[in-house]
Amino acid sequence: MRRISVVILSLLMIASMILSACQPAPTPTAEQPKEEKPAEQPKEEKPAAAKPGIEDGVLTIAWIPKALNNPVFETGKVGAELKAKELSEQGNIKVEVLYTAPTKSDIAEQAAVMEGVIAKGVDAIGVSCNEPEGCVDPINKAVEAGIPVMTWDSDSPNSKRFTYLGVDNKEGGKAAAELIKMALPNGGKVAVLTGVPGAANLEARIAGFKEGVEGTNIEIVDTVACNDDIQKGVQVVEETMTKYPDLDGWFFVGLWPVFAGEGAMPKWEEATRNGMKSVAFDTLPVELEWVKKGMLYGLVGQKYFGWGYDTVQMIYDKIVNGKEFEPFTNSGMDIVTICNVDEMAKAWETNDFTKPLSDWKCDKLTAAAPAAAAGEVVKAEKGKTLDMVLLPKFMGNMVFD
């Protein structure tokens, strides 16, 4: 019996050992490495929004003056088209200029023109505003539609335009005052001719002129407007000459009546021959001829060619190159008198405005005589050269020789 018990105990021990060998290994106490997550893939970058006018290779700029058929703005148009041509030839973007404007200097009509180019989807706008506040809404609508806008010549400072390109008009008015003070050293009565009442650029010139003559014996007796119309300019100048027959001078804030040509303002021309002095803004060829003839004493010139040429370049730089501009971009100005008028005339002949002009002050300016009427006998001065022309019946005759 005892033997049987020993056998049974031995079998139980063997079974226990077999079962122990079959148990899983104990869990190790060391921390198991954490399962690594797959590396995070870089987010796919969305392509940047295409810049206006670049995705199709064409940059269309609406260039909008105050009105059509104004010779000053036509000069700017030439500049805009030339710069567009240059940029198109030197790069891979074609630049096009859309020249459009109201038929007359009217802010409501100009606003409608701007609404039209916004609807067409132009890429940028350069505009000379007829009235600063009237330009605010159409400019802001364009900017909100993603169309950058800059102003030139006449600003809308309360709008969202990115810069204003132009002469410092107040300083230009002061320059005109310096000219009239030199022309009338003893003072006198002066009238002012402006264009569209309220136009920011013209108002600034008048303000500068008034400030420039303040404290002198020059009295501004009247300010008349022509609404940028040539014939209206002639009319109001002649009416003012009738009203003030003893007028000593004029400040033409623009050159409107000059475009009408000689003979259009007989009362003004007669007073000029008798010693009245006039100064004017702009330095177009027609005015230069009047300076040479003594009909205009001096000119304050804007960079009207640059209104187009520089505007197109600046818009291109902003859209294509991301360039930023200050709110005001000074275009500079030229002052022209008999002293340097030939240089400015040469610039127009060669279309090269890069060379600086000589000083506008010289001995010829202080000695300038009143303009002579056609057929009027001019007295020769001692020490001066008098040119004469002798016209025989025909050449080759011994008697005439």
Side-chain angles (χ1 to χ4, degrees), residues 201-223:
N201 58 333
L202 306 183
E203 293 296 327
R205 294 174 200 170
I206 295 172
F209 184 77
K210 289 180 177 179
E211 186 174 320
V213 299
E214 188 176 352
T216 70
N217 291 326
I218 293 175
E219 177 189 2
I220 301 174
V221 297
D222 206 352
T223 299

Side-chain angles (χ1 to χ4, degrees), residues 132-148:
E133 292 306 313
C135 260
V136 171
D137 283 347
I139 288 177
N140 290 353
K141 285 181 182 178
V143 174
E144 289 162 5
I147 302 172

